[in-house]
Amino acid sequence: MANHRKIKVALMSYAMDNRPGKGSAVYTRELISHLLDDDRFIFTLVHYEPVADPLYRRAPEIILPKFWLSSRWLQQLKWFWQARHEPFDLIHWFQPRLYPGYWWAPARFKIATIHGGGQFYYPWHSLSARMFDWVLKYLNWALDLAIVATTAARQEAAGTYRLSPNRLAVTYYGGGENFQPLAKNEALTIIQKRYPQIKGEFILTVSRLQPHKNLDNLIRGYNQFRDQSPTKPQLVIIAQPAESAAATYQLAQNSKYAKDIIFIDFVPAADLNYFYSAAVLFIFPSLSEGFGLPVVEAMAAGTPVAVSNIPVLAEVAGEAGTLFNPYKPDEIAAVLTRLLADTVYRDLCRRRGLNRAQEFTWAKTAAATKEIYLNLINHG
């Protein structure tokens, strides 16, 4: 590749459109924001509908052409055909959602961020999600590279999607630079004014109401913890409703501590730092993750974290995380008891978390991603 020519990259930016709070949307937005100012590249943002997002003013934009059937799949295929005579050097999808025919995309190299490799194991996924998994597993021959978030996710993806190691690259995600420790009492006062259902000390999780997030076992563990604890912290669950929401709500309502189990569907980004800082601890009981952004955010806010002992979360939290078996509510209860009762240990976890969070910045993610682009273009 001649040095004088800028590299043309199509970024499939629709992954961030109108999806506040979703981990893959945060990743997409932050990564694009940190990519755009590099003058070695010409980045073009590709999506389905115009949105009121200032990020689209920073780069050329393509709105995918309409199709008489309301089908994103067919919209992409139509664009592939229309753009075939003016190809890009590289195209990057930010979600593991490749439609059949993605190999016709108008680019020399094709990259997708697939985040992790655990989603294939969950039969509750929608028909479309299963189709995307099927494409990744059986039709990935045209994908030059897949990006994952951790070395543990790389191992998962290699097994799940039968991708060879030389077609998998690891880029840690950011998040550490966007949050900071705030005075706990001040943060709690602000939270209580905006969310009056929060009465005092609370345990926090930030998630989605999907089965693999394992919130049912968190509620069971919280029930056991409360049975044996002299303290009465609330459990605050910030989680958008999804597949199993009704069953999880019912489980909480049946608890004898139901009044202390607080569900909040959505919290604006501006409020999240207050929640993390006000919480006595943050717990993340997930059964499968590509990365686990809320863990980094909580550590950066100076909150001790307890995470399930799956390899991805153990890698992200490092020595700052208190691990537990997510399938055993009694272990969840035990870790809550330890972190609530042992203030010396809790402070140690807090300091370790602050140090660990400094390793995760979106600037580092963008730099690693650009190296991937350049290596493919120059040596692919």
Side-chain angles (χ1 to χ4, degrees):
M1 176 66 61
N3 291 329
H4 67 273
R5 189 174 77 80
K6 293 187 178 184
I7 299 167
K8 295 170 58 181
V9 180
L11 303 176
M12 305 301 274
S13 60
Y14 57 83
M16 70 183 183
D17 291 352
N18 302 315
R19 301 177 67 239
K22 298 290 181 66
S24 59
V26 173
Y27 163 81
T28 303
R29 160 170 287 284
E30 292 285 355
L31 180 54
I32 289 176
S33 178
H34 285 80
L35 288 174
L36 292 183
D37 291 332
D38 193 319
D39 62 8
R40 293 174 294 177
F41 302 87
I42 298 175
F43 291 107
T44 299
L45 307 183
V46 183
H47 60 151
Y48 291 99
E49 300 284 349
V51 293
D53 187 330
L55 204 52
Y56 284 104
R57 295 198 291 267
R58 293 177 52 193
E61 175 187 16
I62 290 175
I63 305 295
L64 289 170
K66 296 292 185 183
F67 199 83
W68 66 275
L69 288 175
S70 180
S71 167
R72 289 191 163 193
W73 179 15
L74 296 177
Q75 280 183 265
Q76 285 198 25
L77 291 177
K78 185 175 181 179
W79 175 61
F80 295 168
W81 174 258
Q82 291 178 347
R84 68 192 185 281
H85 296 307
E86 297 182 61
F88 293 87
D89 295 302
L90 185 147
I91 187 169
H92 185 174
W93 287 270
F94 295 102
Q95 295 171 298
R97 297 184 177 186
L98 300 175
Y99 290 104
Y102 76 91
W103 45 84
W104 290 316
R108 180 182 169 201
F109 295 102
K110 300 168 183 65
I111 292 178
T113 299
I114 63 174
H115 302 288
Q119 58 265 41
F120 198 84
Y121 300 110
Y122 291 95
W124 48 264
H125 266 318
S126 65
L127 182 60
S128 62
R130 294 186 196 185
M131 182 269 288
F132 292 130
D133 278 339
W134 188 85
V135 170
L136 270 177
K137 189 169 186 177
Y138 298 105
L139 300 175
N140 64 44
W141 51 270
L143 195 63
D144 293 283
L145 200 71
I147 295 176
V148 291
T150 61
T151 56
R154 184 184 187 189
Q155 293 174 340
E156 284 184 355
T160 301
Y161 300 120
R162 304 174 183 178
L163 287 161
S164 59
N166 65 343
R167 294 172 64 204
L168 285 161
V170 176
T171 62
Y172 277 162
Y173 298 169
E177 74 273 50
N178 293 342
F179 293 82
Q180 60 183 332
L182 305 173
K184 188 170 292 292
N185 289 339
E186 293 177 14
L188 182 58
T189 298
I190 290 170
I191 289 302
Q192 288 176 320
K193 287 180 179 177
R194 297 179 184 178
Y195 304 85
Q197 64 269 51
I198 296 175
K199 304 302 182 184
E201 189 175 72
F202 65 91
I203 299 159
L204 177 68
T205 194
V206 177
S207 190
R208 293 194 306 278
L209 287 171
Q210 291 178 312
H212 75 285
K213 295 296 186 178
N214 199 33
L215 296 178
D216 288 6
N217 271 348
L218 173 58
I219 292 169
R220 295 183 183 106
Y222 174 75
N223 288 339
Q224 292 185 29
F225 157 75
R226 285 292 303 272
D227 284 343
Q228 60 199 24
S229 173
T231 61
K232 300 178 180 180
Q234 292 178 299
L235 174 62
V236 175
I237 300 172
I238 299 174
Q240 292 181 329
E243 290 87 351
S244 62
T248 301
Y249 291 146
Q250 190 62 51
L251 181 66
Q253 289 168 6
N254 291 340
S255 167
K256 57 185 171 181
Y257 308 108
K259 64 181 178 59
D260 288 331
I261 301 174
I262 309 300
F263 289 92
I264 302 174
D265 289 354
F266 174 74
V267 166
D271 285 354
L272 263 182
N273 205 150
Y274 295 117
F275 270 97
Y276 286 129
S277 295
V280 66
L281 67 93
F282 178 82
I283 187 164
F284 205 61
S286 186
L287 304 176
S288 174
E289 288 293 327
F291 184 72
L293 275 174
V295 176
V296 172
E297 295 169 352
M299 291 191 298
T303 301
V305 300
V307 300
S308 62
N309 61 5
I310 62 173
V312 166
L313 294 180
E315 180 179 344
V316 171
E319 67 173 2
T322 302
L323 305 183
F324 57 87
N325 185 331
Y327 294 95
K328 296 184 177 180
D330 60 323
E331 285 202 21
I332 294 174
V335 82
L336 293 177
T337 299
R338 181 182 184 188
L339 281 165
L340 266 294
D342 190 338
T343 57
V344 174
Y345 176 67
R346 196 163 73 232
D347 187 60
L348 174 64
C349 292
R350 177 184 183 278
R351 287 184 278 110
R352 286 176 172 175
L354 286 169
N355 289 333
R356 180 63 174 160
Q358 294 177 19
E359 299 296 315
F360 303 102
T361 71
W362 293 113
K364 289 182 180 180
T365 309
T369 303
K370 285 185 282 190
E371 280 303 305
I372 290 170
Y373 293 169
L374 293 169
N375 284 337
L376 264 183
I377 296 296
N378 295 323
H379 307 294

